[in-house]
Amino acid sequence: MLGASAIGAPRWARAASEPLRIGWLAALTGPSSAPGVGFDRGVNFAAEALNAAGGVKGRKIEIITRDTQGDPTKAVNATQEMINSQKVHAIWGPTNSGESLAVTPIMARAGIPNIHPCVIDSLIDPKKFPNAFRIAPSNAQWDDAVRNYCLKVLKVNKIAVIGDTTGYGVSAVKTCVANFKKDGAEVVYSNNIDATQPDMTPDMTRARNAGAQVIVIWSVSTGMEARLFNARAEMNWDVIFAGHPSMASGEIRGLLAKPQNWDKVYAVGYKSCSYDASGKLPARSQEFVDKVQGKVKLDDTLFWWVTAGYDAISMVARAVQESGAAPKEIIAYWNTLNPYPGYFGDYRYSPTQHDGYPTADVVMSAANSARHGTFALAPGYA
């Protein structure tokens, strides 16, 4: 027995002093990279800040980043590497729902704690995927915010719905169309477009000829969105755009033929990322802005992407600090968070509820009103 203890102790000591490895499945390049770039800034800042403060129980955080390029096959390969070779303690991401659909079952079989911002509703199921937690709203929450804004605030009834051809885009358009029809609206046009398609005029023309009063967009491709906005201007059509948060990404500014092409574009936003009429942010959000001043660039991305990336890494670290680094310990700790006060939101989880973002905090923003990645509320809110 003495011999076994003597051999086991150094192994435990080594394990306890090894880095806390967090896998980061990041679409940093490719047509769906805008969110990944923003999330990445929050991820790296969180790791640097935690390590500068001594790490977690003396263990440095090591971020294992793999650029999936938004490709589900690359995401699968990276996930298997992280689990089998890198021996990560938890995985953050992917940030694209098409990728997440491919890798969520793999992580579930391995029992790896997974936290992600992907919005397809079926990705969260505590019975099928007891290891998976969502840090952002579900697409149902986004869809509700957009639909309520169109029907109850703008008071329009003829809707066009356009998405890209990714797994996310196809699923989101199908759900959105069904929900608008359920609420009595007339969906006059819908389609999924290849995000690399250079000319958006044909689809915009069909939507106008069908009598659309608002065009709802579901895509993370800022290039596709900018081309839609430019096509609207070229057609001298003042129809409103509403939809996906990426329509407010700073990348779009450089892709517009004219700055005014961004007018009348309203993207899903959040109370934590919205400034009031005097330009003031909520206190906790301002605290984050002050914290990253001069260290993290916010002007060309979305505030929620950066803060969600920061919160995800912090939640892994907190679980290890309070419970332990074993996968079951991290998962069990997350199931007790009610709430966890993050910078993006107050997340609430339980063994039967892994959708943690508060619905009441999902709002619509004026897409071209960005200031450090935060926005003014869309017209019509009190």
Side-chain angles (χ1 to χ4, degrees), residues 237-262:
W237 190 21
D238 65 350
V239 69
I240 290 170
F241 283 101
H244 196 278
S246 61
M247 294 198 300
S249 172
E251 288 185 354
I252 286 178
R253 189 181 308 277
L255 301 174
L256 297 171
K258 297 179 181 179
Q260 56 266 38
N261 292 2
W262 218 355

Side-chain angles (χ1 to χ4, degrees), residues 64-355:
I64 309 296
T65 304
R66 295 293 180 269
D67 182 4
T68 64
Q69 300 179 319
D71 183 338
T73 299
K74 288 183 172 64
V76 167
N77 292 337
T79 299
Q80 291 172 334
E81 179 202 355
M82 289 177 178
I83 294 171
N84 299 324
S85 301
Q86 297 293 338
K87 307 295 184 183
V88 297
H89 296 86
I91 293 177
W92 154 239
T95 59
N96 175 288
S97 291
E99 297 173 72
S100 197
L101 285 168
V103 302
T104 293
I106 296 172
M107 288 188 270
R109 287 193 293 271
I112 293 294
N114 174 225
I115 188 162
H116 67 72
C118 300
V119 298
I120 288 181
D121 296 86
S122 62
L123 288 169
I124 293 299
D125 184 333
K127 290 184 178 179
K128 288 176 63 178
F129 312 126
N131 62 306
F133 295 73
R134 195 184 336 250
I135 199 172
S138 66
N139 204 70
Q141 290 171 293
W142 278 1
D143 191 70
D144 285 348
V146 172
R147 194 170 66 260
N148 288 338
Y149 186 69
C150 291
L151 300 181
K152 297 180 181 180
V153 178
L154 297 178
K155 299 186 184 304
V156 297
N157 194 56
K158 293 185 176 181
I159 317 294
V161 184
I162 293 175
D164 58 37
T165 54
T166 64
Y168 166 70
V170 172
S171 174
V173 167
K174 181 179 179 180
T175 300
C176 183
V177 168
N179 285 337
F180 266 116
K181 289 181 177 179
K182 184 177 179 181
D183 281 355
E186 183 181 356
V187 179
V188 297
Y189 182 72
S190 67
N191 196 20
N192 289 92
I193 306 172
D194 187 327
T196 62
Q197 181 177 309
D199 186 7
M200 299 294 166
T201 305
D203 282 275
M204 289 293 290
T205 300
R206 295 184 191 103
R208 182 176 64 180
N209 292 345
Q213 297 169 301
V214 63
I215 298 179
V216 174
I217 304 296
W218 295 114
S219 174
V220 300
S221 173
T222 53
M224 170 180 160
E225 290 159 350
R227 290 192 293 277
L228 285 165
F229 306 157
N230 287 334
R232 176 186 63 174
E234 291 168 2
M235 295 167 61
N236 293 314
W237 190 21
D238 65 350
V239 69
I240 290 170
F241 283 101
H244 196 278
S246 61
M247 294 198 300
S249 172
E251 288 185 354
I252 286 178
R253 189 181 308 277
L255 301 174
L256 297 171
K258 297 179 181 179
Q260 56 266 38
N261 292 2
W262 218 355
D263 293 345
K264 288 191 173 182
V265 177
Y266 307 121
V268 171
Y270 309 99
K271 289 182 179 179
S272 64
C273 309
S274 302
Y275 54 82
D276 62 20
S278 65
K280 188 176 181 180
L281 287 170
R284 197 186 305 166
S285 299
Q286 186 60 51
E287 177 186 314
F288 186 83
V289 171
D290 295 341
K291 184 194 293 280
V292 303
Q293 191 70 38
K295 301 174 183 176
V296 176
K297 190 176 181 182
L298 295 174
D299 287 339
D300 65 344
T301 189
L302 299 187
F303 186 76
W304 87 265
W305 289 340
V306 180
T307 52
Y310 180 95
D311 287 348
I313 301 306
S314 300
M315 286 171 66
V316 176
R318 178 71 66 84
V320 174
Q321 180 70 40
E322 300 295 330
S323 183
K328 289 184 178 180
E329 292 173 322
I330 294 173
I331 293 167
Y333 179 75
W334 285 350
N335 276 326
T336 69
L337 299 181
N338 189 25
Y340 176 88
Y343 283 110
F344 178 38
D346 288 343
Y347 315 104
R348 287 175 165 80
Y349 302 110
S350 74
T352 58
Q353 174 57 268
H354 289 182
D355 276 313

Side-chain angles (χ1 to χ4, degrees), residues 42-55 61 291 295 310 314:
V43 165
N44 290 317
F45 180 76
E48 290 166 6
L50 286 162
N51 285 338
I61 291 176
K291 184 194 293 280
K295 301 174 183 176
Y310 180 95
S314 300

